[in-house]
Amino acid sequence: MERVEMEAYRNKEQIVDVRSVVEAVSADDNDAPLYQVESLCMRCRENGITRFLLTLIPHFRKILLSAFECPHCGERNNEVQFAGEIQPRGCCYQLEVPSGDPKMLNRQVVKSESATIKIPELDFEIPPEAQRGSLSTVEGTLLRAADELQALQEDRKKVNPQTAEAIDKFLLKLKACATGDSPFTFILDDPAGNSFIENPFAPSTDPSLIIRFYERTPEQQASLGYLVDPSHLEDHRDGASAEEMGGASDEVRREPHGSVGATAAHRAIAHSDSADIAETMFKYSAPEEVMTFPSTCGGCASRCETRMFVTHIPYFQEVIVMASTCDACGYRSSELKPGGRIPEKGKRISLTVNNVNDLSRDIIKSDTAGVKVPELDLELESGTLGGVVTTVEGLITKISESLERVHGFTFGDSLDESKRSKWQEFKAKLNKLLSLEEPWTLILDDALANSFVAPVTEDIKDDLQLAFEEYERSWEQNEELGLNDIDTSSADAAYNLTDTKMGGKSEV
């Protein structure tokens, strides 16, 4: 009886205090009610009503919707705030909008309070502080920006007519983009990783949308509220000085393999994040040398230690495993980097998955590798999942979780039934991959050849389910990787000169 009365009380709209709202939205409640709070109207200075609703956008984020309405003067506004956590990496969405395509302008856009919107063709930028978090469309975002620029035009014309005239000309161009008369590029850059542009082709690739994930700079970390050492900000702007580089190198401590041993190194890496990395790496070979050097915690800026070792994986290459742990706040991180030179060719790895043993194969997917499953017409661009060390089963699970997180609005109210059923069918097929109802193919396409799938045989040539193919990288791939701008002529000349001198001495 008491439970029924409590449910009736919770579902009844009522005016409560702010503390109750904060406690309610902080609770893990999938059926959160609508809350109302009296708040001051900034236009007429009378009290209005602000409504709060905590909701979860399926396959995206948990958000807090707030809407204010004043019954005295009619003032209304709304805002979107993210109730979840800041993502590990920032995100950048780039949407190519052609002219005369209204469907492209109707794509839904989630802009967090830390996101920046850019239109390069107009040299136009909407900084984070100009527009708060919003749930809108491409067209709505541009029209809102135009309205805000238009709001003070009458005052500008009195104070600075030239500036007002220039803004009027710019508004014509901006409105032409918003109505679809002019093509433009819509860029949404969010260091918090909580912004989103709808992909109507999900879960397939969108040819007009490019999604990129990146590591945040110290300035971006500070803007999001993280504690950042001021020296790191200076180092990022001006570069580390030679004295600091020398001082850091003096503090590097090398521990010989005999005193560390495979067991101690295993414990050092597992301490920092990753049992997955430790279990996978040490299956092949123990590190010959573990280096420990001082670093700074990314969470609390306290001094901590980073451990690093180089190991060789048979039939693959050298890899560098780095792991950090902070005793002050408990922050832990790990990273896997390829060692050696950049390969001359890219590599495409194909695995035919037939049985449970294939699902347990170890996989190293670098952050430059794309993933394909032809049977599902599934393709993930490079960098989508970052660099991971996992198994075939773990990779498919990560893909499923990533698609659910990235592709918002999948089951939204505005989605028609055909698109909803299409997504549900695709997710069911994705789950069938792990049940092995039919054989399927996993393809890792890595332009830098830094990915790896472990064989199940002693000799990799005897593994008939595993195929490797090398290919020449295209100019676009080299450009994306920054290889077209590398000039090694000076180094090559110095290297050849050294060889010539060494050859002359040997003859003498």
Tab-separated table of all heavy atoms in Angstrom, residues 152-209:
chain	number	residue	atom	x	y	z
A	152	LEU	N	20.947	42.301	-32.126
A	152	LEU	CA	21.537	43.590	-31.752
A	152	LEU	C	21.901	44.441	-32.957
A	152	LEU	O	22.680	45.392	-32.832
A	152	LEU	CB	22.786	43.353	-30.893
A	152	LEU	CG	22.562	42.583	-29.576
A	152	LEU	CD1	23.884	42.352	-28.869
A	152	LEU	CD2	21.613	43.357	-28.668
A	153	GLN	N	21.335	44.128	-34.119
A	153	GLN	CA	21.697	44.868	-35.325
A	153	GLN	C	21.267	46.330	-35.269
A	153	GLN	O	21.992	47.207	-35.758
A	153	GLN	CB	21.102	44.199	-36.559
A	153	GLN	CG	21.950	43.088	-37.134
A	153	GLN	CD	23.294	43.582	-37.625
A	153	GLN	OE1	24.248	43.698	-36.846
A	153	GLN	NE2	23.379	43.886	-38.902
A	154	GLU	N	20.108	46.628	-34.713
A	154	GLU	CA	19.639	48.010	-34.653
A	154	GLU	C	20.590	48.875	-33.826
A	154	GLU	O	20.886	50.019	-34.195
A	154	GLU	CB	18.225	48.053	-34.049
A	154	GLU	CG	17.170	47.362	-34.902
A	154	GLU	CD	17.067	47.985	-36.282
A	154	GLU	OE1	17.233	49.225	-36.393
A	154	GLU	OE2	16.828	47.241	-37.257
A	155	ASP	N	21.077	48.338	-32.711
A	155	ASP	CA	22.038	49.090	-31.896
A	155	ASP	C	23.369	49.245	-32.617
A	155	ASP	O	24.020	50.291	-32.518
A	155	ASP	CB	22.249	48.382	-30.557
A	155	ASP	CG	20.981	48.377	-29.706
A	155	ASP	OD1	20.134	49.264	-29.907
A	155	ASP	OD2	20.845	47.463	-28.857
A	156	ARG	N	23.783	48.204	-33.346
A	156	ARG	CA	25.050	48.292	-34.081
A	156	ARG	C	24.995	49.366	-35.163
A	156	ARG	O	25.987	50.052	-35.422
A	156	ARG	CB	25.395	46.942	-34.707
A	156	ARG	CG	25.776	45.845	-33.725
A	156	ARG	CD	26.420	44.678	-34.448
A	156	ARG	NE	26.581	43.521	-33.577
A	156	ARG	CZ	25.746	42.491	-33.561
A	156	ARG	NH1	24.690	42.475	-34.375
A	156	ARG	NH2	25.953	41.474	-32.749
A	157	LYS	N	23.861	49.464	-35.826
A	157	LYS	CA	23.741	50.456	-36.895
A	157	LYS	C	23.900	51.878	-36.371
A	157	LYS	O	24.384	52.765	-37.087
A	157	LYS	CB	22.387	50.296	-37.588
A	157	LYS	CG	22.272	49.016	-38.407
A	157	LYS	CD	20.894	48.866	-39.023
A	157	LYS	CE	20.809	47.575	-39.837
A	157	LYS	NZ	19.455	47.367	-40.429
A	158	LYS	N	23.515	52.095	-35.122
A	158	LYS	CA	23.679	53.428	-34.535
A	158	LYS	C	25.113	53.681	-34.090
A	158	LYS	O	25.623	54.798	-34.221
A	158	LYS	CB	22.742	53.569	-33.336
A	158	LYS	CG	21.266	53.454	-33.689
A	158	LYS	CD	20.410	53.499	-32.434
A	158	LYS	CE	18.929	53.318	-32.782
A	158	LYS	NZ	18.066	53.330	-31.571
A	159	VAL	N	25.755	52.662	-33.558
A	159	VAL	CA	27.104	52.820	-33.005
A	159	VAL	C	28.171	52.639	-34.079
A	159	VAL	O	29.108	53.439	-34.198
A	159	VAL	CB	27.332	51.822	-31.849
A	159	VAL	CG1	28.751	51.953	-31.302
A	159	VAL	CG2	26.319	52.049	-30.746
A	160	ASN	N	28.056	51.580	-34.871
A	160	ASN	CA	29.079	51.255	-35.872
A	160	ASN	C	28.386	50.762	-37.141
A	160	ASN	O	28.194	49.557	-37.325
A	160	ASN	CB	30.030	50.184	-35.318
A	160	ASN	CG	31.299	50.048	-36.142
A	160	ASN	OD1	31.319	50.378	-37.327
A	160	ASN	ND2	32.360	49.562	-35.513
A	161	PRO	N	28.003	51.671	-38.024
A	161	PRO	CA	27.263	51.275	-39.230
A	161	PRO	C	28.033	50.324	-40.135
A	161	PRO	O	27.438	49.445	-40.772
A	161	PRO	CB	26.995	52.618	-39.934
A	161	PRO	CG	27.137	53.654	-38.866
A	161	PRO	CD	28.161	53.115	-37.921
A	162	GLN	N	29.354	50.487	-40.228
A	162	GLN	CA	30.141	49.624	-41.111
A	162	GLN	C	30.097	48.168	-40.640
A	162	GLN	O	29.931	47.236	-41.448
A	162	GLN	CB	31.583	50.125	-41.181
A	162	GLN	CG	31.728	51.478	-41.862
A	162	GLN	CD	33.173	51.939	-41.919
A	162	GLN	OE1	34.046	51.380	-41.244
A	162	GLN	NE2	33.428	52.973	-42.714
A	163	THR	N	30.256	47.973	-39.332
A	163	THR	CA	30.185	46.611	-38.791
A	163	THR	C	28.798	46.015	-38.996
A	163	THR	O	28.653	44.838	-39.364
A	163	THR	CB	30.525	46.617	-37.289
A	163	THR	OG1	31.834	47.169	-37.105
A	163	THR	CG2	30.472	45.214	-36.718
A	164	ALA	N	27.756	46.812	-38.789
A	164	ALA	CA	26.394	46.328	-38.979
A	164	ALA	C	26.148	45.943	-40.432
A	164	ALA	O	25.491	44.926	-40.715
A	164	ALA	CB	25.401	47.401	-38.541
A	165	GLU	N	26.689	46.710	-41.374
A	165	GLU	CA	26.524	46.386	-42.790
A	165	GLU	C	27.230	45.079	-43.141
A	165	GLU	O	26.693	44.248	-43.893
A	165	GLU	CB	27.065	47.532	-43.646
A	165	GLU	CG	26.886	47.310	-45.135
A	165	GLU	CD	27.435	48.461	-45.949
A	165	GLU	OE1	27.923	49.448	-45.346
A	165	GLU	OE2	27.398	48.373	-47.197
A	166	ALA	N	28.443	44.889	-42.580
A	166	ALA	CA	29.181	43.646	-42.834
A	166	ALA	C	28.429	42.438	-42.260
A	166	ALA	O	28.377	41.369	-42.882
A	166	ALA	CB	30.577	43.738	-42.228
A	167	ILE	N	27.815	42.617	-41.085
A	167	ILE	CA	27.065	41.514	-40.479
A	167	ILE	C	25.818	41.205	-41.292
A	167	ILE	O	25.421	40.037	-41.444
A	167	ILE	CB	26.713	41.852	-39.017
A	167	ILE	CG1	27.995	41.868	-38.163
A	167	ILE	CG2	25.731	40.838	-38.438
A	167	ILE	CD1	27.771	42.239	-36.714
A	168	ASP	N	25.171	42.229	-41.840
A	168	ASP	CA	23.996	41.995	-42.695
A	168	ASP	C	24.358	41.144	-43.904
A	168	ASP	O	23.618	40.228	-44.289
A	168	ASP	CB	23.410	43.330	-43.160
A	168	ASP	CG	22.584	44.002	-42.067
A	168	ASP	OD1	22.073	43.271	-41.199
A	168	ASP	OD2	22.465	45.245	-42.088
A	169	LYS	N	25.498	41.443	-44.538
A	169	LYS	CA	25.941	40.643	-45.682
A	169	LYS	C	26.244	39.207	-45.266
A	169	LYS	O	25.945	38.260	-45.985
A	169	LYS	CB	27.173	41.293	-46.318
A	169	LYS	CG	26.911	42.645	-46.958
A	169	LYS	CD	28.182	43.231	-47.550
A	169	LYS	CE	27.919	44.580	-48.193
A	169	LYS	NZ	29.172	45.184	-48.747
A	170	PHE	N	26.860	39.084	-44.065
A	170	PHE	CA	27.184	37.741	-43.579
A	170	PHE	C	25.914	36.951	-43.276
A	170	PHE	O	25.834	35.751	-43.545
A	170	PHE	CB	28.063	37.829	-42.334
A	170	PHE	CG	28.329	36.499	-41.694
A	170	PHE	CD1	29.292	35.653	-42.197
A	170	PHE	CD2	27.594	36.076	-40.594
A	170	PHE	CE1	29.530	34.414	-41.628
A	170	PHE	CE2	27.817	34.848	-40.012
A	170	PHE	CZ	28.798	34.016	-40.532
A	171	LEU	N	24.892	37.630	-42.712
A	171	LEU	CA	23.649	36.943	-42.382
A	171	LEU	C	22.965	36.390	-43.629
A	171	LEU	O	22.334	35.325	-43.579
A	171	LEU	CB	22.711	37.903	-41.650
A	171	LEU	CG	23.056	38.190	-40.183
A	171	LEU	CD1	22.154	39.278	-39.618
A	171	LEU	CD2	22.931	36.931	-39.343
A	172	LEU	N	23.096	37.072	-44.759
A	172	LEU	CA	22.532	36.557	-46.002
A	172	LEU	C	23.187	35.238	-46.387
A	172	LEU	O	22.518	34.285	-46.816
A	172	LEU	CB	22.701	37.593	-47.122
A	172	LEU	CG	21.901	38.898	-46.966
A	172	LEU	CD1	22.258	39.858	-48.106
A	172	LEU	CD2	20.404	38.611	-46.949
A	173	LYS	N	24.513	35.163	-46.230
A	173	LYS	CA	25.233	33.924	-46.540
A	173	LYS	C	24.862	32.815	-45.558
A	173	LYS	O	24.676	31.662	-45.949
A	173	LYS	CB	26.741	34.176	-46.496
A	173	LYS	CG	27.248	35.178	-47.518
A	173	LYS	CD	28.751	35.367	-47.387
A	173	LYS	CE	29.271	36.387	-48.380
A	173	LYS	NZ	30.733	36.606	-48.247
A	174	LEU	N	24.743	33.172	-44.258
A	174	LEU	CA	24.419	32.167	-43.242
A	174	LEU	C	23.008	31.616	-43.458
A	174	LEU	O	22.779	30.402	-43.364
A	174	LEU	CB	24.548	32.780	-41.849
A	174	LEU	CG	24.355	31.834	-40.658
A	174	LEU	CD1	25.393	30.719	-40.687
A	174	LEU	CD2	24.446	32.604	-39.340
A	175	LYS	N	22.062	32.480	-43.780
A	175	LYS	CA	20.694	32.021	-44.018
A	175	LYS	C	20.596	31.205	-45.301
A	175	LYS	O	19.755	30.308	-45.407
A	175	LYS	CB	19.753	33.213	-44.061
A	175	LYS	CG	19.561	33.881	-42.694
A	175	LYS	CD	18.645	35.078	-42.781
A	175	LYS	CE	18.474	35.722	-41.399
A	175	LYS	NZ	17.606	36.922	-41.440
A	176	ALA	N	21.452	31.530	-46.296
A	176	ALA	CA	21.476	30.720	-47.518
A	176	ALA	C	21.922	29.295	-47.218
A	176	ALA	O	21.419	28.331	-47.808
A	176	ALA	CB	22.400	31.370	-48.553
A	177	CYS	N	22.857	29.148	-46.279
A	177	CYS	CA	23.277	27.804	-45.856
A	177	CYS	C	22.159	27.107	-45.089
A	177	CYS	O	21.901	25.912	-45.277
A	177	CYS	CB	24.538	27.894	-44.989
A	177	CYS	SG	26.016	28.446	-45.852
A	178	ALA	N	21.471	27.859	-44.222
A	178	ALA	CA	20.421	27.265	-43.395
A	178	ALA	C	19.224	26.819	-44.220
A	178	ALA	O	18.516	25.878	-43.838
A	178	ALA	CB	19.976	28.259	-42.320
A	179	THR	N	18.979	27.469	-45.355
A	179	THR	CA	17.851	27.091	-46.209
A	179	THR	C	18.237	26.100	-47.294
A	179	THR	O	17.376	25.679	-48.085
A	179	THR	CB	17.246	28.346	-46.863
A	179	THR	OG1	18.280	29.057	-47.560
A	179	THR	CG2	16.630	29.253	-45.807
A	180	GLY	N	19.524	25.731	-47.368
A	180	GLY	CA	19.960	24.745	-48.342
A	180	GLY	C	20.290	25.317	-49.701
A	180	GLY	O	20.460	24.558	-50.670
A	181	ASP	N	20.399	26.643	-49.823
A	181	ASP	CA	20.723	27.257	-51.113
A	181	ASP	C	22.225	27.200	-51.414
A	181	ASP	O	22.614	27.309	-52.582
A	181	ASP	CB	20.259	28.715	-51.139
A	181	ASP	CG	18.739	28.829	-51.044
A	181	ASP	OD1	18.066	27.870	-51.471
A	181	ASP	OD2	18.240	29.849	-50.529
A	182	SER	N	23.052	27.076	-50.392
A	182	SER	CA	24.498	27.043	-50.586
A	182	SER	C	25.073	25.803	-49.910
A	182	SER	O	24.663	25.457	-48.797
A	182	SER	CB	25.158	28.300	-49.992
A	182	SER	OG	24.677	29.468	-50.611
A	183	PRO	N	26.046	25.133	-50.544
A	183	PRO	CA	26.709	23.993	-49.883
A	183	PRO	C	27.682	24.482	-48.817
A	183	PRO	O	28.257	25.573	-48.943
A	183	PRO	CB	27.438	23.300	-51.036
A	183	PRO	CG	27.705	24.400	-52.018
A	183	PRO	CD	26.557	25.354	-51.911
A	184	PHE	N	27.868	23.694	-47.792
A	184	PHE	CA	28.794	24.082	-46.734
A	184	PHE	C	29.209	22.846	-45.951
A	184	PHE	O	28.638	21.759	-46.110
A	184	PHE	CB	28.162	25.109	-45.785
A	184	PHE	CG	26.968	24.613	-45.028
A	184	PHE	CD1	27.094	24.130	-43.722
A	184	PHE	CD2	25.712	24.618	-45.612
A	184	PHE	CE1	25.999	23.656	-43.028
A	184	PHE	CE2	24.597	24.151	-44.913
A	184	PHE	CZ	24.746	23.674	-43.623
A	185	THR	N	30.218	23.026	-45.103
A	185	THR	CA	30.719	21.970	-44.222
A	185	THR	C	30.375	22.322	-42.789
A	185	THR	O	30.718	23.406	-42.307
A	185	THR	CB	32.240	21.807	-44.370
A	185	THR	OG1	32.563	21.558	-45.739
A	185	THR	CG2	32.739	20.644	-43.528
A	186	PHE	N	29.693	21.424	-42.097
A	186	PHE	CA	29.261	21.628	-40.715
A	186	PHE	C	30.162	20.800	-39.806
A	186	PHE	O	30.158	19.572	-39.861
A	186	PHE	CB	27.804	21.198	-40.557
A	186	PHE	CG	27.187	21.530	-39.227
A	186	PHE	CD1	26.598	22.749	-39.010
A	186	PHE	CD2	27.200	20.603	-38.199
A	186	PHE	CE1	26.012	23.053	-37.788
A	186	PHE	CE2	26.629	20.886	-36.968
A	186	PHE	CZ	26.029	22.118	-36.762
A	187	ILE	N	30.979	21.475	-38.998
A	187	ILE	CA	31.946	20.797	-38.129
A	187	ILE	C	31.526	20.987	-36.674
A	187	ILE	O	31.315	22.114	-36.225
A	187	ILE	CB	33.373	21.333	-38.350
A	187	ILE	CG1	33.813	21.097	-39.792
A	187	ILE	CG2	34.356	20.671	-37.382
A	187	ILE	CD1	35.173	21.681	-40.121
A	188	LEU	N	31.406	19.890	-35.955
A	188	LEU	CA	31.044	19.894	-34.534
A	188	LEU	C	32.201	19.274	-33.755
A	188	LEU	O	32.452	18.073	-33.850
A	188	LEU	CB	29.752	19.108	-34.322
A	188	LEU	CG	29.207	18.998	-32.889
A	188	LEU	CD1	28.855	20.378	-32.351
A	188	LEU	CD2	27.995	18.092	-32.840
A	189	ASP	N	32.915	20.099	-33.011
A	189	ASP	CA	34.123	19.660	-32.292
A	189	ASP	C	33.877	19.783	-30.797
A	189	ASP	O	33.634	20.881	-30.292
A	189	ASP	CB	35.317	20.530	-32.711
A	189	ASP	CG	36.637	19.970	-32.206
A	189	ASP	OD1	36.616	19.096	-31.326
A	189	ASP	OD2	37.693	20.401	-32.694
A	190	ASP	N	33.940	18.652	-30.098
A	190	ASP	CA	33.648	18.634	-28.661
A	190	ASP	C	34.754	17.900	-27.913
A	190	ASP	O	34.878	16.676	-28.023
A	190	ASP	CB	32.302	17.944	-28.411
A	190	ASP	CG	31.885	18.007	-26.951
A	190	ASP	OD1	32.575	18.676	-26.170
A	190	ASP	OD2	30.868	17.395	-26.598
A	191	PRO	N	35.591	18.604	-27.142
A	191	PRO	CA	36.641	17.922	-26.382
A	191	PRO	C	36.091	16.992	-25.303
A	191	PRO	O	36.791	16.082	-24.869
A	191	PRO	CB	37.442	19.084	-25.764
A	191	PRO	CG	36.524	20.253	-25.800
A	191	PRO	CD	35.643	20.064	-26.989
A	192	ALA	N	34.845	17.200	-24.860
A	192	ALA	CA	34.251	16.319	-23.850
A	192	ALA	C	33.728	15.023	-24.458
A	192	ALA	O	33.444	14.068	-23.739
A	192	ALA	CB	33.114	17.037	-23.120
A	193	GLY	N	33.583	14.963	-25.797
A	193	GLY	CA	33.111	13.757	-26.464
A	193	GLY	C	31.630	13.491	-26.296
A	193	GLY	O	31.172	12.369	-26.521
A	194	ASN	N	30.834	14.517	-25.912
A	194	ASN	CA	29.412	14.314	-25.627
A	194	ASN	C	28.498	14.926	-26.667
A	194	ASN	O	27.305	15.095	-26.404
A	194	ASN	CB	29.069	14.895	-24.250
A	194	ASN	CG	29.497	13.979	-23.130
A	194	ASN	OD1	29.469	12.771	-23.260
A	194	ASN	ND2	29.914	14.559	-22.011
A	195	SER	N	29.014	15.282	-27.836
A	195	SER	CA	28.187	15.822	-28.903
A	195	SER	C	27.982	14.767	-29.983
A	195	SER	O	28.685	13.757	-30.033
A	195	SER	CB	28.821	17.087	-29.494
A	195	SER	OG	28.851	18.121	-28.540
A	196	PHE	N	27.021	15.063	-30.878
A	196	PHE	CA	26.599	14.006	-31.788
A	196	PHE	C	25.865	14.594	-32.976
A	196	PHE	O	25.142	15.586	-32.851
A	196	PHE	CB	25.678	13.040	-31.028
A	196	PHE	CG	25.049	11.973	-31.873
A	196	PHE	CD1	25.768	10.844	-32.233
A	196	PHE	CD2	23.750	12.090	-32.316
A	196	PHE	CE1	25.192	9.859	-33.009
A	196	PHE	CE2	23.167	11.110	-33.091
A	196	PHE	CZ	23.894	9.991	-33.445
A	197	ILE	N	26.061	14.001	-34.167
A	197	ILE	CA	25.286	14.310	-35.365
A	197	ILE	C	24.658	13.005	-35.848
A	197	ILE	O	25.347	11.983	-35.958
A	197	ILE	CB	26.152	14.941	-36.469
A	197	ILE	CG1	26.689	16.297	-36.022
A	197	ILE	CG2	25.334	15.115	-37.755
A	197	ILE	CD1	27.565	16.980	-37.052
A	198	GLU	N	23.393	13.046	-36.153
A	198	GLU	CA	22.647	11.843	-36.526
A	198	GLU	C	23.181	11.237	-37.825
A	198	GLU	O	23.501	11.948	-38.781
A	198	GLU	CB	21.173	12.196	-36.700
A	198	GLU	CG	20.307	11.035	-37.125
A	198	GLU	CD	18.897	11.473	-37.465
A	198	GLU	OE1	18.651	12.698	-37.490
A	198	GLU	OE2	18.049	10.597	-37.699
A	199	ASN	N	23.271	9.920	-37.839
A	199	ASN	CA	23.619	9.169	-39.042
A	199	ASN	C	22.385	8.364	-39.471
A	199	ASN	O	22.074	7.332	-38.887
A	199	ASN	CB	24.793	8.235	-38.765
A	199	ASN	CG	25.114	7.332	-39.944
A	199	ASN	OD1	24.610	7.531	-41.049
A	199	ASN	ND2	25.941	6.331	-39.719
A	200	PRO	N	21.652	8.815	-40.501
A	200	PRO	CA	20.431	8.104	-40.901
A	200	PRO	C	20.695	6.740	-41.516
A	200	PRO	O	19.772	5.938	-41.660
A	200	PRO	CB	19.799	9.062	-41.930
A	200	PRO	CG	20.936	9.856	-42.454
A	200	PRO	CD	21.906	10.007	-41.322
A	201	PHE	N	21.953	6.475	-41.900
A	201	PHE	CA	22.287	5.191	-42.504
A	201	PHE	C	22.751	4.169	-41.476
A	201	PHE	O	23.178	3.069	-41.832
A	201	PHE	CB	23.385	5.368	-43.566
A	201	PHE	CG	23.036	6.354	-44.636
A	201	PHE	CD1	23.514	7.647	-44.593
A	201	PHE	CD2	22.210	5.994	-45.682
A	201	PHE	CE1	23.198	8.573	-45.577
A	201	PHE	CE2	21.886	6.896	-46.673
A	201	PHE	CZ	22.377	8.198	-46.618
A	202	ALA	N	22.763	4.541	-40.188
A	202	ALA	CA	23.283	3.658	-39.143
A	202	ALA	C	22.572	2.308	-39.198
A	202	ALA	O	21.368	2.246	-39.436
A	202	ALA	CB	23.084	4.303	-37.778
A	203	PRO	N	23.315	1.215	-39.001
A	203	PRO	CA	24.715	1.144	-38.572
A	203	PRO	C	25.730	1.170	-39.709
A	203	PRO	O	26.909	0.942	-39.493
A	203	PRO	CB	24.773	-0.201	-37.847
A	203	PRO	CG	23.781	-1.030	-38.597
A	203	PRO	CD	22.673	-0.103	-39.011
A	204	SER	N	25.298	1.422	-40.945
A	204	SER	CA	26.226	1.490	-42.066
A	204	SER	C	26.972	2.829	-42.040
A	204	SER	O	26.587	3.766	-41.332
A	204	SER	CB	25.482	1.339	-43.394
A	204	SER	OG	24.806	0.095	-43.451
A	205	THR	N	28.032	2.915	-42.847
A	205	THR	CA	28.837	4.125	-42.906
A	205	THR	C	28.077	5.222	-43.648
A	205	THR	O	27.387	4.961	-44.628
A	205	THR	CB	30.162	3.850	-43.619
A	205	THR	OG1	30.790	2.723	-43.018
A	205	THR	CG2	31.094	5.039	-43.509
A	206	ASP	N	28.203	6.460	-43.167
A	206	ASP	CA	27.585	7.615	-43.814
A	206	ASP	C	28.624	8.271	-44.716
A	206	ASP	O	29.649	8.767	-44.227
A	206	ASP	CB	27.105	8.602	-42.757
A	206	ASP	CG	26.333	9.762	-43.351
A	206	ASP	OD1	26.359	9.913	-44.584
A	206	ASP	OD2	25.697	10.515	-42.596
A	207	PRO	N	28.410	8.320	-46.031
A	207	PRO	CA	29.420	8.904	-46.925
A	207	PRO	C	29.614	10.404	-46.731
A	207	PRO	O	30.660	10.946	-47.115
A	207	PRO	CB	28.864	8.601	-48.332
A	207	PRO	CG	27.393	8.394	-48.132
A	207	PRO	CD	27.248	7.795	-46.773
A	208	SER	N	28.643	11.079	-46.134
A	208	SER	CA	28.742	12.527	-45.950
A	208	SER	C	29.270	12.917	-44.574
A	208	SER	O	29.497	14.100	-44.327
A	208	SER	CB	27.367	13.182	-46.159
A	208	SER	OG	26.859	12.903	-47.441
A	209	LEU	N	29.447	11.946	-43.676
A	209	LEU	CA	29.818	12.236	-42.292
A	209	LEU	C	31.142	11.583	-41.940
A	209	LEU	O	31.326	10.390	-42.148
A	209	LEU	CB	28.725	11.736	-41.342
A	209	LEU	CG	28.898	12.038	-39.851
A	209	LEU	CD1	28.867	13.539	-39.612
A	209	LEU	CD2	27.818	11.349	-39.034
